[in-house]
Structure formats: C-alpha cells, structure tokens
PDB file of all heavy atoms in Angstrom:
ATOM      1  N   ASN D   1      -3.480   5.289   6.494  1.00 98.00           N
ATOM      2  CA  ASN D   1      -4.878   4.830   6.142  1.00 98.00           C
ATOM      3  C   ASN D   1      -5.685   5.935   5.545  1.00 98.00           C
ATOM      4  O   ASN D   1      -6.430   5.697   4.556  1.00 98.00           O
ATOM      5  CB  ASN D   1      -5.529   4.147   7.363  1.00 98.00           C
ATOM      6  CG  ASN D   1      -4.935   2.861   7.754  1.00 98.00           C
ATOM      7  OD1 ASN D   1      -4.340   2.200   6.825  1.00 98.00           O
ATOM      8  ND2 ASN D   1      -5.030   2.534   9.003  1.00 98.00           N
ATOM      9  N   ASN D   2      -5.639   7.085   6.072  1.00 98.00           N
ATOM     10  CA  ASN D   2      -6.303   8.259   5.509  1.00 98.00           C
ATOM     11  C   ASN D   2      -5.878   8.620   4.137  1.00 98.00           C
ATOM     12  O   ASN D   2      -6.709   8.812   3.238  1.00 98.00           O
ATOM     13  CB  ASN D   2      -6.226   9.486   6.469  1.00 98.00           C
ATOM     14  CG  ASN D   2      -6.903   9.319   7.709  1.00 98.00           C
ATOM     15  OD1 ASN D   2      -7.894   8.531   7.859  1.00 98.00           O
ATOM     16  ND2 ASN D   2      -6.468  10.075   8.741  1.00 98.00           N
ATOM     17  N   VAL D   3      -4.597   8.670   3.860  1.00 98.00           N
ATOM     18  CA  VAL D   3      -4.113   9.035   2.540  1.00 98.00           C
ATOM     19  C   VAL D   3      -4.478   7.938   1.556  1.00 98.00           C
ATOM     20  O   VAL D   3      -4.866   8.266   0.438  1.00 98.00           O
ATOM     21  CB  VAL D   3      -2.562   9.268   2.543  1.00 98.00           C
ATOM     22  CG1 VAL D   3      -1.955   9.440   1.158  1.00 98.00           C
ATOM     23  CG2 VAL D   3      -2.194  10.460   3.450  1.00 98.00           C
ATOM     24  N   TYR D   4      -4.340   6.688   2.042  1.00 98.00           N
ATOM     25  CA  TYR D   4      -4.709   5.517   1.120  1.00 98.00           C
ATOM     26  C   TYR D   4      -6.164   5.541   0.719  1.00 98.00           C
ATOM     27  O   TYR D   4      -6.478   5.411  -0.502  1.00 98.00           O
ATOM     28  CB  TYR D   4      -4.348   4.167   1.853  1.00 98.00           C
ATOM     29  CG  TYR D   4      -4.663   2.976   1.035  1.00 98.00           C
ATOM     30  CD1 TYR D   4      -3.942   2.658  -0.136  1.00 98.00           C
ATOM     31  CD2 TYR D   4      -5.595   2.081   1.449  1.00 98.00           C
ATOM     32  CE1 TYR D   4      -4.233   1.495  -0.822  1.00 98.00           C
ATOM     33  CE2 TYR D   4      -5.919   0.928   0.816  1.00 98.00           C
ATOM     34  CZ  TYR D   4      -5.199   0.641  -0.337  1.00 98.00           C
ATOM     35  OH  TYR D   4      -5.485  -0.494  -1.051  1.00 98.00           O
ATOM     36  N   ARG D   5      -7.067   5.841   1.671  1.00 98.00           N
ATOM     37  CA  ARG D   5      -8.508   5.937   1.372  1.00 98.00           C
ATOM     38  C   ARG D   5      -8.782   7.099   0.490  1.00 98.00           C
ATOM     39  O   ARG D   5      -9.540   7.022  -0.497  1.00 98.00           O
ATOM     40  CB  ARG D   5      -9.320   6.100   2.618  1.00 98.00           C
ATOM     41  CG  ARG D   5      -9.571   4.758   3.388  1.00 98.00           C
ATOM     42  CD  ARG D   5     -10.682   4.926   4.445  1.00 98.00           C
ATOM     43  NE  ARG D   5     -10.172   5.738   5.629  1.00 98.00           N
ATOM     44  CZ  ARG D   5      -9.495   5.224   6.675  1.00 98.00           C
ATOM     45  NH1 ARG D   5      -9.153   4.005   6.726  1.00 98.00           N
ATOM     46  NH2 ARG D   5      -9.137   6.059   7.622  1.00 98.00           N
ATOM     47  N   GLU D   6      -8.056   8.211   0.685  1.00 98.00           N
ATOM     48  CA  GLU D   6      -8.289   9.401  -0.213  1.00 98.00           C
ATOM     49  C   GLU D   6      -7.757   9.051  -1.631  1.00 98.00           C
ATOM     50  O   GLU D   6      -8.452   9.418  -2.603  1.00 98.00           O
ATOM     51  CB  GLU D   6      -7.565  10.612   0.290  1.00 98.00           C
ATOM     52  CG  GLU D   6      -7.781  11.735  -0.471  1.00 98.00           C
ATOM     53  CD  GLU D   6      -7.081  13.084   0.066  1.00 98.00           C
ATOM     54  OE1 GLU D   6      -6.417  13.017   1.090  1.00 98.00           O
ATOM     55  OE2 GLU D   6      -7.130  14.118  -0.541  1.00 98.00           O
ATOM     56  N   LEU D   7      -6.662   8.385  -1.759  1.00 98.00           N
ATOM     57  CA  LEU D   7      -6.156   7.979  -3.050  1.00 98.00           C
ATOM     58  C   LEU D   7      -7.110   7.060  -3.769  1.00 98.00           C
ATOM     59  O   LEU D   7      -7.435   7.344  -4.919  1.00 98.00           O
ATOM     60  CB  LEU D   7      -4.756   7.342  -2.869  1.00 98.00           C
ATOM     61  CG  LEU D   7      -4.077   6.854  -4.108  1.00 98.00           C
ATOM     62  CD1 LEU D   7      -3.895   7.962  -5.083  1.00 98.00           C
ATOM     63  CD2 LEU D   7      -2.764   6.259  -3.738  1.00 98.00           C
ATOM     64  N   LEU D   8      -7.649   6.105  -3.063  1.00 98.00           N
ATOM     65  CA  LEU D   8      -8.603   5.173  -3.694  1.00 98.00           C
ATOM     66  C   LEU D   8      -9.794   5.923  -4.091  1.00 98.00           C
ATOM     67  O   LEU D   8     -10.465   5.609  -5.186  1.00 98.00           O
ATOM     68  CB  LEU D   8      -8.978   3.949  -2.791  1.00 98.00           C
ATOM     69  CG  LEU D   8      -7.895   2.967  -2.507  1.00 98.00           C
ATOM     70  CD1 LEU D   8      -8.255   1.962  -1.520  1.00 98.00           C
ATOM     71  CD2 LEU D   8      -7.420   2.386  -3.801  1.00 98.00           C
ATOM     72  N   SER D   9     -10.295   6.830  -3.313  1.00 97.00           N
ATOM     73  CA  SER D   9     -11.468   7.632  -3.599  1.00 97.00           C
ATOM     74  C   SER D   9     -11.238   8.488  -4.894  1.00 97.00           C
ATOM     75  O   SER D   9     -12.107   8.548  -5.779  1.00 97.00           O
ATOM     76  CB  SER D   9     -11.836   8.582  -2.453  1.00 97.00           C
ATOM     77  OG  SER D   9     -12.918   9.379  -2.781  1.00 97.00           O
ATOM     78  N   LYS D  10     -10.044   9.162  -4.965  1.00 97.00           N
ATOM     79  CA  LYS D  10      -9.811   9.970  -6.133  1.00 97.00           C
ATOM     80  C   LYS D  10      -9.601   9.168  -7.406  1.00 97.00           C
ATOM     81  O   LYS D  10      -9.920   9.627  -8.517  1.00 97.00           O
ATOM     82  CB  LYS D  10      -8.561  10.735  -5.895  1.00 97.00           C
ATOM     83  CG  LYS D  10      -8.634  11.736  -4.751  1.00 97.00           C
ATOM     84  CD  LYS D  10      -9.277  12.972  -5.190  1.00 97.00           C
ATOM     85  CE  LYS D  10      -9.209  14.011  -3.953  1.00 97.00           C
ATOM     86  NZ  LYS D  10      -9.575  15.244  -4.364  1.00 97.00           N
ATOM     87  N   ALA D  11      -9.183   7.902  -7.255  1.00 97.00           N
ATOM     88  CA  ALA D  11      -8.908   7.066  -8.455  1.00 97.00           C
ATOM     89  C   ALA D  11     -10.136   6.183  -8.857  1.00 97.00           C
ATOM     90  O   ALA D  11     -10.062   5.330  -9.633  1.00 97.00           O
ATOM     91  CB  ALA D  11      -7.696   6.233  -8.233  1.00 97.00           C
ATOM     92  N   ALA D  12     -11.266   6.318  -8.024  1.00 97.00           N
ATOM     93  CA  ALA D  12     -12.359   5.369  -8.176  1.00 97.00           C
ATOM     94  C   ALA D  12     -12.949   5.235  -9.479  1.00 97.00           C
ATOM     95  O   ALA D  12     -13.408   4.144  -9.852  1.00 97.00           O
ATOM     96  CB  ALA D  12     -13.447   5.853  -7.112  1.00 97.00           C
ATOM     97  N   ASP D  13     -12.833   6.269 -10.323  1.00 96.00           N
ATOM     98  CA  ASP D  13     -13.417   6.173 -11.684  1.00 96.00           C
ATOM     99  C   ASP D  13     -12.478   5.469 -12.616  1.00 96.00           C
ATOM    100  O   ASP D  13     -12.754   5.455 -13.868  1.00 96.00           O
ATOM    101  CB  ASP D  13     -13.853   7.544 -12.252  1.00 96.00           C
ATOM    102  CG  ASP D  13     -12.631   8.504 -12.281  1.00 96.00           C
ATOM    103  OD1 ASP D  13     -11.597   8.204 -11.654  1.00 96.00           O
ATOM    104  OD2 ASP D  13     -12.696   9.553 -12.983  1.00 96.00           O
ATOM    105  N   GLN D  14     -11.307   5.046 -12.162  1.00 96.00           N
ATOM    106  CA  GLN D  14     -10.337   4.284 -12.971  1.00 96.00           C
ATOM    107  C   GLN D  14     -10.010   2.927 -12.351  1.00 96.00           C
ATOM    108  O   GLN D  14      -9.065   2.789 -11.564  1.00 96.00           O
ATOM    109  CB  GLN D  14      -8.995   5.153 -13.082  1.00 96.00           C
ATOM    110  CG  GLN D  14      -9.202   6.525 -13.707  1.00 96.00           C
ATOM    111  CD  GLN D  14      -7.932   7.315 -13.625  1.00 96.00           C
ATOM    112  OE1 GLN D  14      -6.882   6.803 -13.944  1.00 96.00           O
ATOM    113  NE2 GLN D  14      -8.142   8.552 -13.340  1.00 96.00           N
ATOM    114  N   PRO D  15     -10.767   1.914 -12.626  1.00 97.00           N
ATOM    115  CA  PRO D  15     -10.719   0.656 -11.998  1.00 97.00           C
ATOM    116  C   PRO D  15      -9.280  -0.001 -12.154  1.00 97.00           C
ATOM    117  O   PRO D  15      -8.805  -0.616 -11.193  1.00 97.00           O
ATOM    118  CB  PRO D  15     -11.705  -0.231 -12.665  1.00 97.00           C
ATOM    119  CG  PRO D  15     -12.637   0.657 -13.381  1.00 97.00           C
ATOM    120  CD  PRO D  15     -11.920   1.973 -13.602  1.00 97.00           C
ATOM    121  N   GLU D  16      -8.628   0.266 -13.236  1.00 97.00           N
ATOM    122  CA  GLU D  16      -7.189  -0.341 -13.443  1.00 97.00           C
ATOM    123  C   GLU D  16      -6.290   0.323 -12.412  1.00 97.00           C
ATOM    124  O   GLU D  16      -5.488  -0.306 -11.839  1.00 97.00           O
ATOM    125  CB  GLU D  16      -6.769  -0.162 -14.844  1.00 97.00           C
ATOM    126  CG  GLU D  16      -7.447  -1.182 -15.830  1.00 97.00           C
ATOM    127  CD  GLU D  16      -6.894  -1.044 -17.257  1.00 97.00           C
ATOM    128  OE1 GLU D  16      -5.745  -0.649 -17.395  1.00 97.00           O
ATOM    129  OE2 GLU D  16      -7.582  -1.311 -18.140  1.00 97.00           O
ATOM    130  N   ALA D  17      -6.469   1.726 -12.244  1.00 97.00           N
ATOM    131  CA  ALA D  17      -5.627   2.399 -11.348  1.00 97.00           C
ATOM    132  C   ALA D  17      -5.810   1.920  -9.892  1.00 97.00           C
ATOM    133  O   ALA D  17      -4.878   1.726  -9.157  1.00 97.00           O
ATOM    134  CB  ALA D  17      -5.863   3.908 -11.446  1.00 97.00           C
ATOM    135  N   VAL D  18      -7.098   1.730  -9.599  1.00 98.00           N
ATOM    136  CA  VAL D  18      -7.460   1.262  -8.225  1.00 98.00           C
ATOM    137  C   VAL D  18      -6.797  -0.101  -7.973  1.00 98.00           C
ATOM    138  O   VAL D  18      -6.136  -0.366  -6.893  1.00 98.00           O
ATOM    139  CB  VAL D  18      -8.954   1.210  -8.010  1.00 98.00           C
ATOM    140  CG1 VAL D  18      -9.255   0.501  -6.678  1.00 98.00           C
ATOM    141  CG2 VAL D  18      -9.575   2.632  -7.981  1.00 98.00           C
ATOM    142  N   ALA D  19      -6.851  -0.928  -8.971  1.00 98.00           N
ATOM    143  CA  ALA D  19      -6.266  -2.324  -8.782  1.00 98.00           C
ATOM    144  C   ALA D  19      -4.795  -2.231  -8.605  1.00 98.00           C
ATOM    145  O   ALA D  19      -4.198  -2.904  -7.784  1.00 98.00           O
ATOM    146  CB  ALA D  19      -6.664  -3.167  -9.984  1.00 98.00           C
ATOM    147  N   LYS D  20      -4.221  -1.341  -9.338  1.00 97.00           N
ATOM    148  CA  LYS D  20      -2.663  -1.236  -9.296  1.00 97.00           C
ATOM    149  C   LYS D  20      -2.291  -0.549  -7.973  1.00 97.00           C
ATOM    150  O   LYS D  20      -1.244  -0.949  -7.372  1.00 97.00           O
ATOM    151  CB  LYS D  20      -2.138  -0.405 -10.461  1.00 97.00           C
ATOM    152  CG  LYS D  20      -2.312  -1.220 -11.762  1.00 97.00           C
ATOM    153  CD  LYS D  20      -1.779  -0.513 -12.950  1.00 97.00           C
ATOM    154  CE  LYS D  20      -1.935  -1.420 -14.185  1.00 97.00           C
ATOM    155  NZ  LYS D  20      -1.359  -0.825 -15.351  1.00 97.00           N
ATOM    156  N   ILE D  21      -3.078   0.356  -7.506  1.00 98.00           N
ATOM    157  CA  ILE D  21      -2.810   1.021  -6.198  1.00 98.00           C
ATOM    158  C   ILE D  21      -2.887   0.041  -5.109  1.00 98.00           C
ATOM    159  O   ILE D  21      -2.081  -0.006  -4.243  1.00 98.00           O
ATOM    160  CB  ILE D  21      -3.759   2.217  -5.928  1.00 98.00           C
ATOM    161  CG1 ILE D  21      -3.414   3.345  -6.901  1.00 98.00           C
ATOM    162  CG2 ILE D  21      -3.695   2.670  -4.471  1.00 98.00           C
ATOM    163  CD1 ILE D  21      -4.504   4.412  -6.967  1.00 98.00           C
ATOM    164  N   LYS D  22      -3.949  -0.772  -5.116  1.00 98.00           N
ATOM    165  CA  LYS D  22      -4.131  -1.813  -4.119  1.00 98.00           C
ATOM    166  C   LYS D  22      -2.987  -2.818  -4.147  1.00 98.00           C
ATOM    167  O   LYS D  22      -2.525  -3.276  -3.138  1.00 98.00           O
ATOM    168  CB  LYS D  22      -5.418  -2.578  -4.256  1.00 98.00           C
ATOM    169  CG  LYS D  22      -6.584  -1.731  -3.895  1.00 98.00           C
ATOM    170  CD  LYS D  22      -7.970  -2.422  -4.019  1.00 98.00           C
ATOM    171  CE  LYS D  22      -9.117  -1.570  -3.552  1.00 98.00           C
ATOM    172  NZ  LYS D  22     -10.438  -2.229  -3.711  1.00 98.00           N
ATOM    173  N   ALA D  23      -2.569  -3.261  -5.386  1.00 98.00           N
ATOM    174  CA  ALA D  23      -1.421  -4.179  -5.481  1.00 98.00           C
ATOM    175  C   ALA D  23      -0.187  -3.661  -4.988  1.00 98.00           C
ATOM    176  O   ALA D  23       0.632  -4.249  -4.268  1.00 98.00           O
ATOM    177  CB  ALA D  23      -1.212  -4.581  -7.011  1.00 98.00           C
ATOM    178  N   ALA D  24       0.106  -2.326  -5.265  1.00 98.00           N
ATOM    179  CA  ALA D  24       1.258  -1.638  -4.724  1.00 98.00           C
ATOM    180  C   ALA D  24       1.277  -1.591  -3.207  1.00 98.00           C
ATOM    181  O   ALA D  24       2.278  -1.836  -2.553  1.00 98.00           O
ATOM    182  CB  ALA D  24       1.367  -0.257  -5.280  1.00 98.00           C
ATOM    183  N   GLU D  25       0.083  -1.296  -2.674  1.00 98.00           N
ATOM    184  CA  GLU D  25       0.007  -1.257  -1.154  1.00 98.00           C
ATOM    185  C   GLU D  25       0.196  -2.598  -0.529  1.00 98.00           C
ATOM    186  O   GLU D  25       0.938  -2.694   0.507  1.00 98.00           O
ATOM    187  CB  GLU D  25      -1.352  -0.629  -0.713  1.00 98.00           C
ATOM    188  CG  GLU D  25      -1.404  -0.304   0.713  1.00 98.00           C
ATOM    189  CD  GLU D  25      -0.448   0.847   1.146  1.00 98.00           C
ATOM    190  OE1 GLU D  25       0.214   1.504   0.304  1.00 98.00           O
ATOM    191  OE2 GLU D  25      -0.310   1.084   2.392  1.00 98.00           O
ATOM    192  N   LYS D  26      -0.314  -3.640  -1.159  1.00 98.00           N
ATOM    193  CA  LYS D  26      -0.100  -4.997  -0.637  1.00 98.00           C
ATOM    194  C   LYS D  26       1.342  -5.369  -0.702  1.00 98.00           C
ATOM    195  O   LYS D  26       1.870  -5.974   0.179  1.00 98.00           O
ATOM    196  CB  LYS D  26      -0.970  -5.986  -1.493  1.00 98.00           C
ATOM    197  CG  LYS D  26      -0.902  -7.367  -0.996  1.00 98.00           C
ATOM    198  CD  LYS D  26      -1.845  -8.315  -1.832  1.00 98.00           C
ATOM    199  CE  LYS D  26      -1.724  -9.735  -1.325  1.00 98.00           C
ATOM    200  NZ  LYS D  26      -2.668 -10.587  -1.975  1.00 98.00           N
ATOM    201  N   ALA D  27       2.005  -4.920  -1.798  1.00 98.00           N
ATOM    202  CA  ALA D  27       3.413  -5.332  -1.935  1.00 98.00           C
ATOM    203  C   ALA D  27       4.269  -4.468  -0.965  1.00 98.00           C
ATOM    204  O   ALA D  27       5.230  -5.012  -0.387  1.00 98.00           O
ATOM    205  CB  ALA D  27       3.899  -4.940  -3.411  1.00 98.00           C
ATOM    206  N   TRP D  28       3.867  -3.256  -0.620  1.00 98.00           N
ATOM    207  CA  TRP D  28       4.591  -2.451   0.342  1.00 98.00           C
ATOM    208  C   TRP D  28       4.413  -3.047   1.729  1.00 98.00           C
ATOM    209  O   TRP D  28       5.401  -3.096   2.437  1.00 98.00           O
ATOM    210  CB  TRP D  28       4.072  -0.989   0.395  1.00 98.00           C
ATOM    211  CG  TRP D  28       4.686  -0.249   1.452  1.00 98.00           C
ATOM    212  CD1 TRP D  28       5.963   0.258   1.539  1.00 98.00           C
ATOM    213  CD2 TRP D  28       4.190  -0.040   2.766  1.00 98.00           C
ATOM    214  NE1 TRP D  28       6.291   0.773   2.660  1.00 98.00           N
ATOM    215  CE2 TRP D  28       5.194   0.647   3.544  1.00 98.00           C
ATOM    216  CE3 TRP D  28       2.930  -0.396   3.435  1.00 98.00           C
ATOM    217  CZ2 TRP D  28       5.018   0.999   4.839  1.00 98.00           C
ATOM    218  CZ3 TRP D  28       2.788   0.053   4.751  1.00 98.00           C
ATOM    219  CH2 TRP D  28       3.798   0.683   5.405  1.00 98.00           C
ATOM    220  N   ILE D  29       3.279  -3.640   2.131  1.00 98.00           N
ATOM    221  CA  ILE D  29       3.139  -4.216   3.350  1.00 98.00           C
ATOM    222  C   ILE D  29       4.057  -5.481   3.443  1.00 98.00           C
ATOM    223  O   ILE D  29       4.711  -5.680   4.480  1.00 98.00           O
ATOM    224  CB  ILE D  29       1.602  -4.652   3.617  1.00 98.00           C
ATOM    225  CG1 ILE D  29       0.747  -3.340   3.797  1.00 98.00           C
ATOM    226  CG2 ILE D  29       1.508  -5.541   4.800  1.00 98.00           C
ATOM    227  CD1 ILE D  29      -0.685  -3.552   3.744  1.00 98.00           C
ATOM    228  N   ALA D  30       4.103  -6.192   2.390  1.00 98.00           N
ATOM    229  CA  ALA D  30       5.000  -7.385   2.378  1.00 98.00           C
ATOM    230  C   ALA D  30       6.525  -6.863   2.583  1.00 98.00           C
ATOM    231  O   ALA D  30       7.244  -7.499   3.276  1.00 98.00           O
ATOM    232  CB  ALA D  30       4.836  -8.179   1.158  1.00 98.00           C
ATOM    233  N   TYR D  31       6.848  -5.882   1.846  1.00 98.00           N
ATOM    234  CA  TYR D  31       8.180  -5.326   1.931  1.00 98.00           C
ATOM    235  C   TYR D  31       8.482  -4.787   3.365  1.00 98.00           C
ATOM    236  O   TYR D  31       9.486  -5.127   3.954  1.00 98.00           O
ATOM    237  CB  TYR D  31       8.383  -4.125   0.954  1.00 98.00           C
ATOM    238  CG  TYR D  31       9.560  -3.245   1.322  1.00 98.00           C
ATOM    239  CD1 TYR D  31      10.859  -3.667   0.996  1.00 98.00           C
ATOM    240  CD2 TYR D  31       9.422  -2.082   2.021  1.00 98.00           C
ATOM    241  CE1 TYR D  31      11.952  -2.868   1.316  1.00 98.00           C
ATOM    242  CE2 TYR D  31      10.522  -1.311   2.384  1.00 98.00           C
ATOM    243  CZ  TYR D  31      11.784  -1.640   1.994  1.00 98.00           C
ATOM    244  OH  TYR D  31      12.836  -0.919   2.328  1.00 98.00           O
ATOM    245  N   ARG D  32       7.558  -4.102   3.899  1.00 98.00           N
ATOM    246  CA  ARG D  32       7.707  -3.520   5.319  1.00 98.00           C
ATOM    247  C   ARG D  32       7.921  -4.611   6.308  1.00 98.00           C
ATOM    248  O   ARG D  32       8.881  -4.623   7.076  1.00 98.00           O
ATOM    249  CB  ARG D  32       6.487  -2.753   5.748  1.00 98.00           C
ATOM    250  CG  ARG D  32       6.546  -2.146   7.154  1.00 98.00           C
ATOM    251  CD  ARG D  32       5.211  -1.870   7.726  1.00 98.00           C
ATOM    252  NE  ARG D  32       4.432  -3.122   7.876  1.00 98.00           N
ATOM    253  CZ  ARG D  32       3.099  -3.143   7.914  1.00 98.00           C
ATOM    254  NH1 ARG D  32       2.369  -2.045   7.827  1.00 98.00           N
ATOM    255  NH2 ARG D  32       2.422  -4.331   7.935  1.00 98.00           N
ATOM    256  N   ASP D  33       7.130  -5.656   6.209  1.00 98.00           N
ATOM    257  CA  ASP D  33       7.265  -6.806   7.151  1.00 98.00           C
ATOM    258  C   ASP D  33       8.522  -7.611   6.979  1.00 98.00           C
ATOM    259  O   ASP D  33       9.229  -7.925   7.920  1.00 98.00           O
ATOM    260  CB  ASP D  33       6.040  -7.682   7.070  1.00 98.00           C
ATOM    261  CG  ASP D  33       4.774  -7.072   7.532  1.00 98.00           C
ATOM    262  OD1 ASP D  33       4.795  -6.003   8.152  1.00 98.00           O
ATOM    263  OD2 ASP D  33       3.642  -7.657   7.119  1.00 98.00           O
ATOM    264  N   ALA D  34       8.927  -7.738   5.687  1.00 98.00           N
ATOM    265  CA  ALA D  34      10.287  -8.484   5.434  1.00 98.00           C
ATOM    266  C   ALA D  34      11.417  -7.595   5.850  1.00 98.00           C
ATOM    267  O   ALA D  34      12.355  -8.155   6.410  1.00 98.00           O
ATOM    268  CB  ALA D  34      10.294  -8.769   3.851  1.00 98.00           C
ATOM    269  N   TYR D  35      11.336  -6.382   5.647  1.00 98.00           N
ATOM    270  CA  TYR D  35      12.467  -5.453   6.068  1.00 98.00           C
ATOM    271  C   TYR D  35      12.576  -5.503   7.642  1.00 98.00           C
ATOM    272  O   TYR D  35      13.716  -5.582   8.153  1.00 98.00           O
ATOM    273  CB  TYR D  35      12.112  -4.015   5.634  1.00 98.00           C
ATOM    274  CG  TYR D  35      13.270  -3.036   5.906  1.00 98.00           C
ATOM    275  CD1 TYR D  35      14.214  -2.806   4.904  1.00 98.00           C
ATOM    276  CD2 TYR D  35      13.356  -2.348   7.112  1.00 98.00           C
ATOM    277  CE1 TYR D  35      15.280  -1.915   5.135  1.00 98.00           C
ATOM    278  CE2 TYR D  35      14.386  -1.455   7.332  1.00 98.00           C
ATOM    279  CZ  TYR D  35      15.325  -1.270   6.398  1.00 98.00           C
ATOM    280  OH  TYR D  35      16.369  -0.365   6.621  1.00 98.00           O
ATOM    281  N   MET D  36      11.489  -5.498   8.304  1.00 98.00           N
ATOM    282  CA  MET D  36      11.568  -5.467   9.773  1.00 98.00           C
ATOM    283  C   MET D  36      12.087  -6.841  10.164  1.00 98.00           C
ATOM    284  O   MET D  36      12.914  -6.896  11.176  1.00 98.00           O
ATOM    285  CB  MET D  36      10.177  -5.212  10.362  1.00 98.00           C
ATOM    286  CG  MET D  36       9.780  -3.762  10.140  1.00 98.00           C
ATOM    287  SD  MET D  36       8.253  -3.209  11.060  1.00 98.00           S
ATOM    288  CE  MET D  36       8.842  -3.374  12.655  1.00 98.00           C
ATOM    289  N   ASP D  37      11.733  -7.925   9.563  1.00 97.00           N
ATOM    290  CA  ASP D  37      12.214  -9.205   9.872  1.00 97.00           C
ATOM    291  C   ASP D  37      13.710  -9.281   9.603  1.00 97.00           C
ATOM    292  O   ASP D  37      14.481 -10.008  10.286  1.00 97.00           O
ATOM    293  CB  ASP D  37      11.491 -10.352   9.073  1.00 97.00           C
ATOM    294  CG  ASP D  37      10.206 -10.672   9.629  1.00 97.00           C
ATOM    295  OD1 ASP D  37       9.901 -10.339  10.791  1.00 97.00           O
ATOM    296  OD2 ASP D  37       9.378 -11.299   8.875  1.00 97.00           O
ATOM    297  N   ALA D  38      14.118  -8.620   8.560  1.00 98.00           N
ATOM    298  CA  ALA D  38      15.625  -8.627   8.255  1.00 98.00           C
ATOM    299  C   ALA D  38      16.369  -7.764   9.273  1.00 98.00           C
ATOM    300  O   ALA D  38      17.511  -8.121   9.654  1.00 98.00           O
ATOM    301  CB  ALA D  38      15.838  -8.065   6.895  1.00 98.00           C
ATOM    302  N   MET D  39      15.756  -6.737   9.752  1.00 97.00           N
ATOM    303  CA  MET D  39      16.434  -5.871  10.764  1.00 97.00           C
ATOM    304  C   MET D  39      16.488  -6.568  12.090  1.00 97.00           C
ATOM    305  O   MET D  39      17.471  -6.423  12.892  1.00 97.00           O
ATOM    306  CB  MET D  39      15.645  -4.627  10.960  1.00 97.00           C
ATOM    307  CG  MET D  39      15.837  -3.583   9.859  1.00 97.00           C
ATOM    308  SD  MET D  39      17.566  -2.940   9.721  1.00 97.00           S
ATOM    309  CE  MET D  39      17.674  -1.987  11.269  1.00 97.00           C
ATOM    310  N   TYR D  40      15.480  -7.376  12.430  1.00 97.00           N
ATOM    311  CA  TYR D  40      15.454  -8.178  13.654  1.00 97.00           C
ATOM    312  C   TYR D  40      15.152  -9.614  13.438  1.00 97.00           C
ATOM    313  O   TYR D  40      14.076 -10.075  13.568  1.00 97.00           O
ATOM    314  CB  TYR D  40      14.326  -7.531  14.554  1.00 97.00           C
ATOM    315  CG  TYR D  40      14.515  -6.104  14.816  1.00 97.00           C
ATOM    316  CD1 TYR D  40      13.861  -5.073  14.173  1.00 97.00           C
ATOM    317  CD2 TYR D  40      15.560  -5.669  15.825  1.00 97.00           C
ATOM    318  CE1 TYR D  40      14.065  -3.750  14.437  1.00 97.00           C
ATOM    319  CE2 TYR D  40      15.721  -4.331  16.062  1.00 97.00           C
ATOM    320  CZ  TYR D  40      14.983  -3.352  15.425  1.00 97.00           C
ATOM    321  OH  TYR D  40      15.179  -2.103  15.708  1.00 97.00           O
ATOM    322  N   PRO D  41      16.164 -10.349  12.966  1.00 97.00           N
ATOM    323  CA  PRO D  41      16.001 -11.663  12.492  1.00 97.00           C
ATOM    324  C   PRO D  41      15.879 -12.760  13.613  1.00 97.00           C
ATOM    325  O   PRO D  41      15.390 -13.860  13.294  1.00 97.00           O
ATOM    326  CB  PRO D  41      17.268 -11.887  11.658  1.00 97.00           C
ATOM    327  CG  PRO D  41      18.284 -11.046  12.181  1.00 97.00           C
ATOM    328  CD  PRO D  41      17.568  -9.892  12.707  1.00 97.00           C
TER     329      PRO D  41
END
C-alpha cells in the first residue's frame, strides 16, 4: 500500500498513467485471488 500510494503520487501529473497503474493493480488483485483459489480449490 505504501509503494502503491507513492507510485500514484509520483505519477499524479499524468492522468493516463494513473489510470493504467490503477487498472494494473486491480488486475493484479484479481490474479492474486484467482491464483490462491487455484492453489486451494
């Protein structure tokens, strides 16, 4: 969470970058959850 907030802060002047960072993080959360479900089905 700290690194993510810092990243968003550093990219704040680039709205497209912020949107892509947020999309990537949302996709990673979905991946993490799906991976864990696959490991423990």
Side-chain angles (χ1 to χ4, degrees):
N1 290 333
N2 289 337
V3 174
Y4 180 66
R5 279 192 291 275
E6 184 179 359
L7 180 57
L8 290 177
S9 175
K10 297 277 184 169
D13 61 342
Q14 301 175 42
E16 285 185 30
V18 168
K20 290 179 181 185
I21 292 165
K22 287 180 178 182
E25 192 66 8
K26 184 177 180 180
W28 175 77
I29 291 168
Y31 163 79
R32 178 203 62 203
D33 293 347
Y35 187 92
M36 291 189 68
D37 284 343
M39 284 295 290
Y40 300 102

